[in-house]
Amino acid sequence: MLRLLVLCVFVAIFSYVSVSIEVCTSALIPGAKGDQGEIGDDGDQGKLGKNGPPGLPGVPGEPGLKGELGHTGKIGPTGDRGDKGDKGLDGPAGLKGKQDTRRCLTSDHLIEGTETGGLCERACIKSGVVLGLRETEERYYLLVKEPKRFREALMNCKLRGGTLAMPKSTNTNRLMADYVSQAGLTRVYIGVQTQTKDVDGSSHVYADSTPLQGFASWSQEEELQPNTNSSCVELLSTGTWAHVECEATMFFICEFPKSRRRGGGREPGASASS
């Protein structure tokens, strides 16, 4: 009876061990490879990663086409003065010029220059005047490039033997205006000045104290609203007149009668050496 019980236990244990070995053995051995499954759908796009390190410089491309010419830039600063160049060859001699007949003014009288009359040219430059007088049938007109107040200009013309220029006609006024314009100026004193109205009703007089009658060339602004605070008059290069302060300094024009002599002085057409 005891032997039978031991035998049963032994059989039971052997059966259990056999089953366990079979189960473990089937779990450890892999099966055959299955067939490839179908490709799945694309997944959602992932998050943008961080910027990677910069790559190596690429190969330079070919030069592009030449662009259009740009706008001219501002003028740069003046450069240093260069070295003096070699002297060039002497040119051919020019033709003999005409005799110099420029008229100019000395402190005493009008004279006419000649090609040997250096005195005339020196006198003109020293006194600061523009070479080349203007003239009408009766008078000479001289533009003096010395800035003066009105009264100083009056005296300066008087010392030269004339008076501050008085444009009393359209032709004379145009001649004087062209004289000013050709000299590169814009305005000069002329011999016109305001005064208290007299019995004739004139409010302006010329430098020779005669009333302003028959001709005037006031600018449109002066005609609409005369400047009663300024008693002196200027001639503009346009040919118009305007009032101006007498203390202003500017160039002026003197006039000289052609028939006038001064202390044995020569006529305007006389030679400088006579």
Side-chain angles (χ1 to χ4, degrees):
M1 187 68 179
L2 180 60
R3 291 180 178 181
L4 181 62
L5 180 62
V6 170
L7 180 63
C8 290
V9 171
F10 179 78
V11 171
I13 292 173
F14 179 79
S15 299
Y16 176 78
V17 171
S18 298
V19 173
S20 296
I21 292 173
E22 184 178 355
V23 172
C24 291
T25 301
S26 63
L28 294 176
I29 298 173
K33 185 176 181 180
D35 297 332
Q36 184 176 356
E38 296 180 357
I39 299 175
D41 297 333
D42 293 338
D44 296 334
Q45 185 175 0
K47 295 182 179 180
L48 185 64
K50 296 182 179 181
N51 292 333
L56 298 176
V59 179
E62 297 181 358
L65 299 177
K66 186 175 181 180
E68 297 180 357
L69 182 64
H71 297 294
T72 303
K74 295 182 178 179
I75 298 176
T78 304
D80 297 333
R81 185 173 182 178
D83 297 332
K84 185 176 181 180
D86 298 332
K87 183 178 179 180
L89 300 176
D90 294 335
L95 300 176
K96 184 177 180 180
K98 296 181 180 180
Q99 185 178 11
D100 185 2
T101 58
R102 293 174 297 179
R103 295 187 179 94
C104 60
L105 187 68
T106 66
S107 58
D108 295 326
H109 46 256
L110 287 165
I111 60 177
E112 183 176 358
T114 65
E115 59 183 353
T116 58
L119 173 63
C120 172
E121 185 174 356
R122 288 195 299 271
C124 284
I125 296 175
K126 184 177 180 181
S127 59
V129 302
V130 176
L131 288 175
L133 296 175
R134 298 295 185 272
E135 60 181 298
T136 61
E137 292 182 358
E138 298 179 352
R139 298 180 183 278
Y140 295 104
Y141 295 90
L142 175 70
L143 175 58
V144 183
K145 296 184 70 175
E146 295 177 4
K148 302 285 186 184
R149 297 183 179 89
F150 184 80
R151 290 189 178 276
E152 295 172 342
L154 282 172
M155 182 59 65
N156 190 283
C157 290
K158 185 175 181 180
L159 292 175
R160 294 173 184 270
T163 57
L164 199 58
M166 299 172 288
K168 295 184 178 182
S169 68
T170 302
N171 291 338
T172 302
N173 192 75
R174 186 70 264 165
L175 178 144
M176 294 170 59
D178 290 343
Y179 195 4
V180 173
S181 178
Q182 291 169 8
L185 305 176
T186 57
R187 60 178 188 164
V188 293
Y189 272 131
I190 56 174
V192 180
Q193 194 173 11
T194 59
Q195 69 165 10
T196 305
K197 288 188 178 182
D198 54 21
V199 293
D200 296 331
S202 176
S203 60
H204 294 83
V205 294
Y206 288 111
D208 60 2
S209 299
T210 59
L212 187 68
Q213 294 180 347
F215 174 76
S217 186
W218 299 111
S219 64
Q220 186 175 4
E221 291 79 5
E222 291 288 346
E223 290 180 348
L224 296 176
Q225 188 175 2
N227 185 355
T228 57
N229 296 326
S230 301
S231 58
C232 293
V233 178
E234 62 181 357
L235 168 67
L236 305 179
S237 58
T238 57
T240 56
W241 300 357
H243 287 94
V244 66
E245 293 290 340
C246 298
E247 293 301 309
T249 58
M250 67 179 73
F251 300 151
F252 53 95
I253 297 178
C254 298
E255 69 174 48
F256 307 89
K258 287 188 175 182
S259 60
R260 185 180 179 87
R261 292 171 178 261
R262 292 196 64 211
R266 294 179 292 277
E267 289 286 351
S271 172
S273 59
S274 60

